[in-house]
Amino acid sequence: MSAQPPAPTEKGILQFLAICDSFYPPDAVQASIEQQRHWYDALCARFDRPLPPEMIFADGMLQRIPIRRYRPRKISTRTILLYLHGGGFVVGSLESHHAICAEIADFAGAELVSVDYRLAPEYRWPAQTDDGFAVLKHLLSANSKVVLIGDSAGANLAAGLALRARDEGLSGVVGQVLIYPALGGDLAAGSYIEMAAAPGLTTADVAYYREILQAPAGDEIAEPLQAASLAGLPPAFITVAHFDPLRDDGRHYAARLTEEGVDVWFREEPQMVHAWLRARHMSEGARDGFRAVCEATRRFAQT
């Protein structure tokens, strides 16, 4: 008899996983890209929420890249939040993280820009990071400060953008908020083995998304854990889920940043799974984790 894969016990997150399973089959990556996006869009819509009161948002273009701007009822800083959505570089859009972006902007009292970067397989690496970097450079030229935020694949992009900004001598990135980031860790070690069959995301899924993206192995921007140096990067808030094959990517990145003199705030959510952001209104652990994300964002934005 095979051992059961590691799984959380918190009632709210188990309910969340049951809902996800009803929308998104465990073998989803074997379906067509069109079908995957249909399932993902339906799942995101299931967890959609009304926006905070008096939140204003509008779609537009920056450097020919689609973006959505959020402006909360109360602005307490001129710092701009730049959000890169998750979805394995294959799924996700301005709609998929709509309420998440609005709630972060509202809590931080800051304008937020969400990027609709190009997706794989239609567009392979480095289209995704190039889209994000074009928007970042535009924002830095118009505003003095930016906080980078991303979840999963979006956190990979955010971490890469922080490296690109440092390497090109761009100032103004005052923080990076990385939520269960994918950072190029070893698929045959650590949490990729321990949590290979974790609910919500498996190691096989991660391998699939890497293959779709076709980023060159060892590229420092595609795999920030492979960067020769992390010195000089902006302060970071990193949160990981215990039941997630990506867990050790965040752990190791936080440790390296600390060793190289970068201020880091690190959290490991003990009962959480990958994509727990969507459970923030139904799980106590996700609610606490999301508040920590929002508080870190506000702290960076007020710097």
Side-chain angles (χ1 to χ4, degrees):
M1 181 181 295
S2 60
Q4 289 294 313
T9 57
E10 193 218 273
K11 190 174 297 184
I13 207 67
L14 292 176
Q15 181 186 1
F16 166 73
L17 287 170
I19 294 172
C20 290
D21 288 346
S22 71
F23 280 86
Y24 219 70
D27 59 349
V29 296
Q30 297 179 23
S32 69
I33 298 298
E34 182 181 7
Q35 180 64 72
Q36 289 185 50
R37 290 173 181 163
H38 174 76
W39 282 330
Y40 189 76
D41 289 347
L43 174 66
C44 294
R46 167 60 178 80
F47 293 106
D48 205 10
R49 300 283 296 189
L51 300 192
E54 300 179 46
M55 173 64 66
I56 299 171
F57 70 93
D59 293 344
M61 303 285 283
L62 279 182
Q63 306 297 307
R64 295 178 293 178
I65 299 159
I67 58 108
R68 180 170 292 172
R69 288 184 179 269
Y70 296 83
R71 187 174 179 84
R73 55 184 167 179
K74 182 179 179 182
I75 298 286
S76 56
T77 176
R78 296 185 63 185
T79 300
I80 302 295
L81 314 178
L82 178 57
Y83 197 96
L84 294 307
H85 68 77
F89 309 101
V90 172
V91 300
S93 65
L94 297 178
E95 296 300 329
S96 64
H97 290 62
H98 184 49
I100 291 169
C101 288
E103 290 172 31
I104 292 174
D106 188 66
F107 190 100
E111 183 177 330
L112 183 147
V113 173
S114 179
V115 183
D116 197 15
Y117 57 84
R118 288 171 289 175
L119 298 176
E122 294 91 340
Y123 300 96
R124 310 286 189 173
W125 186 266
Q128 299 72 23
T129 183
D130 285 348
D131 286 353
F133 197 52
V135 174
L136 174 60
K137 287 195 294 185
H138 178 89
L139 294 176
L140 289 174
S141 69
N143 306 276
S144 58
K145 296 178 181 178
V146 172
V147 177
L148 293 165
I149 314 169
D151 67 285
S152 193
N156 168 283
L157 295 175
L161 293 184
L163 284 163
R164 291 185 70 171
R166 180 202 64 181
D167 293 347
E168 294 201 16
L170 299 179
S171 61
V173 178
V174 295
Q176 49 183 326
V177 177
L178 310 180
I179 306 162
Y180 34 82
L183 300 170
D186 183 352
L187 296 183
S191 57
Y192 285 106
I193 298 299
E194 181 187 351
M195 297 295 169
L201 183 74
T202 67
T203 297
D205 293 337
V206 177
Y208 166 84
Y209 291 129
R210 288 189 186 182
E211 177 62 27
I212 286 283
L213 188 64
Q214 294 188 3
D219 183 284
E220 294 190 353
I221 305 305
E223 300 179 349
L225 275 170
Q226 307 305 318
S229 172
L230 302 180
L233 287 174
F237 173 85
I238 301 174
T239 181
V240 300
H242 180 75
F243 296 97
D244 185 351
L246 298 179
R247 182 192 67 208
D248 286 355
D249 279 21
R251 280 182 178 177
H252 295 156
Y253 203 61
R256 277 203 58 195
L257 287 167
T258 300
E259 289 170 2
E260 298 190 46
V262 179
D263 288 337
V264 178
W265 291 265
F266 177 78
R267 280 177 66 102
E268 181 171 322
E269 305 299 342
Q271 282 290 312
M272 292 299 99
V273 298
H274 194 76
W276 58 256
L277 276 182
R278 302 199 185 286
R280 66 196 181 283
H281 294 292
M282 61 186 301
S283 155
E284 182 179 351
R287 187 179 300 112
D288 290 346
F290 185 63
R291 183 174 181 86
V293 165
C294 292
E295 288 175 342
T297 302
R298 182 169 62 185
R299 179 171 63 241
F300 291 147
Q302 300 292 341
T303 301

